[in-house]
Amino acid sequence: QGSRPTAPRPLLIACRPRHFSRALTHAMLSTEDDVYLTRHGARIDKEDSGWLAKAGHRRADDPHLSAGGELGARELAAKLLEVHGEEPIAHIVCSPFLRCVQTAQPVAEALGLPIKVEPGICEILTTFPPGFLDTPELAEDCPSVDGSYEPVVRREQLRQEQGDGEAARRAASAASAVRGQLQGRILFVGHGASCLGIAEAFGGDDYIGYTSLTRFSRSAGLGWAVVGAFGDVSHLSDQLTAKRSAF
C-alpha cells in the first residue's frame, strides 16, 4: 500500500500581523540621517489668472500660495509635529521661492526650527534670471528664515534650464551636498522638478504632490530607501488636488 500523504505544514508567517514587515523595516531603517521631502502647497496662479496684478510685485515666476495651499501647509505642519515628537527633525531646508517659504513657515513655527533657504533646490529655471527674493528680503516677512545659513548653491551659480531633467539633477546634487554638511534629520521643501531630483538622490523615482510627505532612510549595505508611503497625502483634507499635482 502507498503511504498516506501528509498534510502540508502551516506557514507561521501567516499568523503574523499584516503590519509586521512594515514595522520591522521602519525600525531597521530609522536613523539620524533620515530625509523628509515635501513640495510646496497649491499655488495661486493655478486658480487666479489675475493674481500678479493683485500681488504688489512683478515677479511672475514667484506666485504665493492659494487659500488651499495655506491650508495644506498647516495640515503638513500638524503631521510633522507628530513626526517630530517621535523622531526629532533638526533642519528645514527650503527653496527661496515664496510658495515654498510660505509652506515651510507653519512647519518651522510648529517645530521651533529656522528655515534654511537653499537656491540649489529651487524651481526649474526656464525663466531666467529667477525672480525669487534674497534671504534678507524673505526674512522681513517670514521671521523663521535663517539669515546665517550658507547655501551650497548661491544665486549667482544658477544657470538657465530647459527641462525637468536639468533641474532634477541640480537639485539632487545640492540636496546630497546639504545632507553631507548637516547633522540630524532634514526636511526639504521644494518644487515638482526639484523634488523629483531630491527623491532620486535618496531612493525614490517619481514626482510628488502638493504638501505630501515622503521619508527616506539609509541603511548600511542597502543604501537609501523610501520608508512607508511615497508621496503620502493621508494628512491632507484635499487629497485629490495633491495627487493630481504629482507631475
Side-chain angles (χ1 to χ4, degrees):
Q1 293 182 348
S3 59
R4 293 178 61 188
T6 58
R9 298 177 64 185
L11 295 176
L12 296 180
I13 194 170
C15 299
R16 294 174 177 170
R18 293 180 62 186
H19 64 273
F20 177 85
S21 296
R22 179 181 299 175
L24 181 60
T25 301
H26 178 94
M28 290 175 64
L29 294 180
S30 179
T31 73
E32 293 292 328
D33 289 338
D34 284 1
V35 165
Y36 291 88
L37 177 63
T38 191
R39 183 178 174 181
H40 61 77
R43 42 193 285 181
I44 190 64
D45 59 326
K46 300 298 184 181
E47 302 176 19
D48 180 2
S49 60
W51 74 274
L52 188 57
K54 310 169 191 174
H57 60 75
R58 300 177 64 183
R59 306 189 309 276
D61 63 339
D62 196 19
H64 55 274
L65 295 180
S66 66
E70 292 175 354
L71 174 59
R74 293 193 298 271
E75 292 173 335
L76 174 67
K79 173 63 177 179
L80 283 166
L81 183 58
E82 296 178 8
V83 172
H84 187 64
E86 297 181 2
E87 297 179 334
I89 295 169
H91 310 279
I92 300 172
V93 179
C94 182
S95 160
F97 280 98
L98 187 57
R99 54 195 177 275
C100 285
V101 177
Q102 288 180 328
T103 301
Q105 180 63 34
V107 178
E109 292 174 353
L111 274 55
L113 294 173
I115 299 170
K116 295 174 168 63
V117 175
E118 178 53 66
I121 64 169
C122 75
E123 178 68 286
I124 179 174
L125 298 173
T126 50
T127 298
F128 199 85
F132 63 76
L133 297 173
D134 288 325
T135 298
E137 295 173 289
L138 287 170
E140 292 179 5
D141 293 323
C142 299
S144 295
V145 167
D146 182 358
S148 66
Y149 172 70
E150 292 291 336
V152 299
V153 178
R154 300 185 304 276
R155 176 194 284 271
E156 57 269 25
Q157 294 175 295
L158 296 171
R159 299 292 180 267
Q160 190 166 24
E161 297 162 342
Q162 301 302 321
D164 282 10
E166 290 181 69
R169 287 189 291 275
R170 178 250 302 153
S173 176
S176 296
V178 170
R179 176 63 286 174
Q181 290 184 11
L182 299 179
Q183 300 296 315
R185 298 179 182 92
I186 300 174
L187 169 68
F188 287 102
V189 185
H191 307 260
S194 67
C195 284
L196 172 64
I198 297 169
E200 291 174 340
F202 298 111
D205 61 357
D206 206 351
Y207 292 90
I208 60 171
Y210 294 150
T211 52
S212 63
L213 187 62
T214 304
R215 178 186 168 198
F216 306 92
S217 197
R218 180 167 51 187
S219 178
L222 297 177
W224 287 99
V226 176
V227 179
F230 183 85
D232 182 31
V233 296
S234 62
H235 53 285
L236 300 176
S237 55
D238 185 0
Q239 298 180 11
L240 183 60
T241 296
K243 290 177 179 178
R244 285 178 172 173
S245 69
F247 64 88

